Amino acid sequence: MLHFQLLGTRGSRPILDQNYVYFGGNTTAYKIWAEGNFPIYIDGGSGLFREGSRLQPEVKEFSFLLTHSHWDHILAFPFFAPFYRPETCARFWGSRSFKETFEELFKHQFQTDAFPVNYAEIPATITFTTIVGGQSFEIPPPPRFTQENCLSNTHHSYHISTYQINHPGLDLGYRIEHKGKTIVILTDLAPIKNNYLGPGMEDFGAVDEDRYYEGLIAFCRDADLLLHDTHFNEESIRGKERWGHSTEIMAVKLALESQVKQLILGHHAPEDNDQCIFRKLHNAQKYCQKTALNVIIPQEDEIITIS
Ligand SMILES: [Zn+2]
Ligand SMILES: [Zn+2]
């Protein structure tokens, strides 16, 4: 059994308005955990702030996967309360940016010009591992979790695969597997057709385009749950194909081609109110109504369980 919680549902920037209450206004952060196992957090958008403030101090160990370092995915890290406790141990896995490692970018968030607390003053122990697209690895339980629960590492490890996706900057998709259950996270990504955005994509040709998309289908293949960027809809993407985001129909097509069981439409534009998002959901459900695919848009903080 795997649980998936949407701590933040938005892209770009947070929003608070009476027409945004149903789906919420915090930016991207997700939490995944198997029953009785330690959680993995994906990204640190503003949705992570509330999680940090409500966790009991007894929760001391954290594991983070970072998709990419755009502001909407990292802005809550300096405000994450557990980093200000000396007992906290946090492990990060993330890709390089254009020039630097995520570790260097993370520390820049705590520079005097940007934030009043310097990184050297953070009492938590934080470690960083740089990964690249295509890499697979295990996330073993944090040491204290294994000791306190008298468990073996292998029983509770998560298996992670990565895929570099088409977005300005280096952006990784994550496939998270545990005991036969699979969740895939694809945020943020743009249509690939004649539209190559990230480093390493400069020399793309039509052959590579097909190879990239076939690789993406294989990456999502048979997942129980796919979270897919749908910042745009079929109208709002016009003229913005190079902004690095997808529509609900692109998400449904990939989910169908990959034979995914359940699709979550995520990373909503801050311009889209609840009514717009319901319309996006309706369009997606209509497009795949004769198939077995289940398309949903959970509310902020909602927990989806895969059993
Ligand atoms: Zn984003
Ligand atoms: Zn982005």
Side-chain angles (χ1 to χ4, degrees):
M1 190 182 284
L2 272 180
H3 304 288
F4 178 74
Q5 186 173 22
L6 285 99
L7 304 174
T9 56
R10 294 275 158 190
S12 298
R13 59 177 168 78
I15 173 103
L16 176 63
D17 183 276
Q18 60 179 353
N19 297 315
Y20 290 70
V21 171
Y22 187 83
F23 289 109
N26 277 304
T27 67
T28 305
Y30 311 122
K31 182 179 181 180
I32 294 173
W33 70 101
E35 195 68 26
N37 204 356
F38 68 98
I40 292 174
Y41 291 90
I42 319 275
D43 290 349
S46 67
L48 185 70
F49 168 75
R50 183 182 46 222
E51 174 76 354
S53 56
R54 70 187 167 195
L55 284 174
Q56 297 300 312
E58 292 76 45
V59 182
K60 300 181 184 110
E61 295 180 300
F62 297 89
S63 306
F64 287 98
L65 294 173
L66 192 87
T67 62
H68 64 308
S69 54
H70 286 165
W71 276 16
D72 50 328
H73 298 255
I74 63 167
L75 63 88
F77 286 136
F79 305 95
F80 190 57
F83 290 160
Y84 295 88
R85 296 179 198 131
E87 320 83 66
T88 294
C89 290
R91 306 178 293 176
F92 276 90
W93 287 262
S95 75
R96 294 179 66 83
S97 71
F98 279 104
K99 294 176 185 161
E100 299 172 289
T101 62
F102 174 64
E103 178 174 5
E104 289 162 315
L105 285 169
F106 185 89
K107 289 175 179 173
H108 284 174
Q109 284 191 286
F110 295 87
Q111 282 184 341
T112 310
D113 288 336
F115 197 68
V117 182
N118 196 275
Y119 183 75
E121 298 171 64
I122 301 292
T125 303
I126 305 177
T127 60
F128 298 88
T129 304
T130 300
I131 49 175
V132 294
Q135 192 173 337
S136 296
F137 56 98
E138 302 288 320
I139 296 191
R144 266 183 290 199
F145 180 89
T146 315
Q147 284 161 15
E148 287 167 15
N149 295 281
C150 302
L151 297 166
S152 71
N153 276 10
T154 46
H155 187 65
H156 280 258
S157 293
Y158 295 93
H159 182 74
I160 313 293
S161 312
T162 63
Y163 195 78
Q164 188 184 326
I165 53 181
N166 192 39
H167 190 63
L170 271 172
D171 189 0
L172 294 181
Y174 286 106
R175 182 180 174 104
I176 297 133
E177 296 173 76
H178 185 268
K179 290 190 179 174
K181 300 294 175 198
T182 303
I183 295 175
V184 175
I185 307 292
L186 295 180
T187 183
D188 313 350
L189 78 165
I192 189 73
K193 201 165 170 42
N194 197 25
N195 188 33
Y196 319 131
L197 301 177
M201 301 278 194
E202 301 90 345
D203 301 324
F204 252 55
V207 176
D208 306 297
E209 239 173 56
D210 293 342
R211 190 168 45 81
Y212 166 88
Y213 196 70
E214 281 161 20
L216 197 58
I217 292 171
F219 187 69
C220 300
R221 174 80 62 205
D222 296 328
D224 297 285
L225 184 66
L226 167 64
L227 180 294
H228 195 296
D229 168 10
T230 56
H231 194 89
F232 293 126
N233 56 51
E234 293 300 301
E235 286 81 45
S236 62
I237 196 170
R238 285 183 201 144
K240 296 176 181 168
E241 292 82 359
R242 293 185 66 78
W243 284 30
H245 298 288
S246 297
T247 71
E248 72 277 24
I249 302 303
M250 292 172 195
V252 169
K253 283 180 177 168
L254 178 62
L256 289 173
E257 284 167 308
S258 312
Q259 296 183 301
V260 163
K261 295 181 186 71
Q262 188 158 224
L263 171 66
I264 291 178
L265 309 180
H267 201 280
H268 312 304
E271 295 78 18
D272 287 356
N273 61 24
D274 290 335
Q275 208 182 358
C276 293
I277 296 174
F278 275 120
R279 206 159 43 232
K280 182 165 76 176
L281 176 62
H282 177 72
N283 284 345
Q285 288 173 333
K286 199 171 156 199
Y287 191 86
C288 62
Q289 62 187 342
K290 293 190 177 134
T291 73
L293 177 64
N294 185 31
V295 185
I296 58 171
I297 303 184
Q299 291 178 278
E300 194 167 293
D301 242 14
E302 193 173 334
I303 297 172
I304 307 299
T305 296
I306 301 163
S307 51

